[in-house]
Amino acid sequence: EALRHTCQLALAGLEQGKREEEAGRPALPLCVCQYSSKDPAEGLANATEKDIPWAASRLADDSLPLFERYQGMFTLRNVGGDGAVESLAKMLLSDTSSAVLRHEVAFVLGQMADETSTKALVEALGHIEEHGMVRHEAAIALGHIGTESAEEALRQYSKDPDLLVAQSCEVALATIEYWKSWEELEARIAAGAEDRQDS
């Protein structure tokens, strides 16, 4: 099922790229937003908070092709804010149609790194019956968020019997440690610069 959904997304992306090329536009450009990823589908251009209900509805509509649902998901990511995070977190936990979709929702929540998504990501990580790739992506997202509760969940599942999940938790914990060290280094550099100015 996951492979079929992945192939459907790739085919839809290629078809979209061909249409864009025929119209004289670049195929699948980088999103014109704060994210530099090359996404499998584009979000709605110039979307604002008023587009969140449309995007959330599109994402949740399992009668639509996955590619169109991804357009709703990336619109939510690009707009950001509480409403978008809430819609994505709800989808992560309630969708039953596609592990590929839930995996991408977790990825997007990791890109957003909004602490309010921690609870949903921890729940997805802890859902033993969930597909390993979804749990993997939830772990990586928690590493980007880096809160105390995220770190606690990652430690708990770093011994998970699913090796993909356990190793993803280890990587996420290493990411948290890296950024903590980086912030400590920046603080020491700033303190050193202040000391030199006072001399």
Side-chain angles (χ1 to χ4, degrees):
E1 186 76 4
L3 180 59
R4 181 173 61 86
H5 286 170
T6 301
C7 291
Q8 287 172 341
L9 276 170
L11 182 58
L14 290 171
E15 290 169 353
Q16 176 69 27
K18 186 176 180 182
R19 285 191 298 275
E20 294 293 323
E21 193 174 297
E22 288 170 356
R25 296 184 297 262
L28 290 177
L30 290 177
C31 115
V32 184
C33 61
Q34 67 271 38
Y35 303 100
S36 60
S37 56
K38 189 165 183 172
D39 302 322
E42 293 180 53
L44 183 66
N46 303 313
T48 66
E49 285 187 6
K50 72 179 185 342
D51 297 302
I52 288 176
W54 170 86
S57 174
R58 189 173 189 93
L59 174 60
D61 187 349
D62 63 7
S63 72
L64 291 174
L66 210 47
F67 185 80
E68 292 179 27
R69 295 175 74 191
Y70 268 45
Q71 291 171 325
M73 176 179 54
F74 286 111
T75 298
L76 290 168
R77 182 211 51 195
N78 296 349
V79 170
D82 292 343
V85 171
E86 183 180 323
S87 296
L88 289 163
K90 179 181 176 185
M91 200 63 207
L92 175 64
L93 299 176
S94 67
D95 177 69
T96 59
S97 67
S98 172
V100 172
L101 176 75
R102 293 188 305 278
H103 150 270
E104 197 71 26
V105 169
F107 174 80
V108 162
L109 288 169
Q111 282 185 305
M112 296 171 83
D114 189 306
E115 292 181 14
T116 61
S117 66
T118 302
K119 183 178 178 188
L121 288 163
V122 168
E123 190 173 331
L125 175 61
H127 188 210
I128 305 302
E129 293 78 30
E130 179 60 272
H131 195 290
M133 76 174 160
V134 178
R135 296 180 70 212
H136 145 79
E137 206 60 65
I140 298 300
L142 288 166
H144 289 290
I145 292 169
T147 60
E148 192 173 306
S149 59
E151 192 170 349
E152 184 179 308
L154 291 167
R155 289 194 193 293
Q156 178 183 348
Y157 291 102
S158 66
K159 304 295 185 221
D160 197 90
D162 184 332
L163 191 57
L164 172 64
V165 174
Q167 290 178 343
S168 298
C169 289
E170 291 171 12
V171 168
L173 287 165
T175 299
I176 291 172
E177 287 307 310
Y178 171 84
W179 287 114
K180 282 182 181 177
S181 297
W182 182 262
E183 289 168 3
E184 289 169 7
L185 176 62
E186 283 184 324
R188 286 196 311 269
I189 291 170
E194 286 176 15
D195 289 346
R196 284 191 296 278
Q197 287 177 348
D198 292 342
S199 312

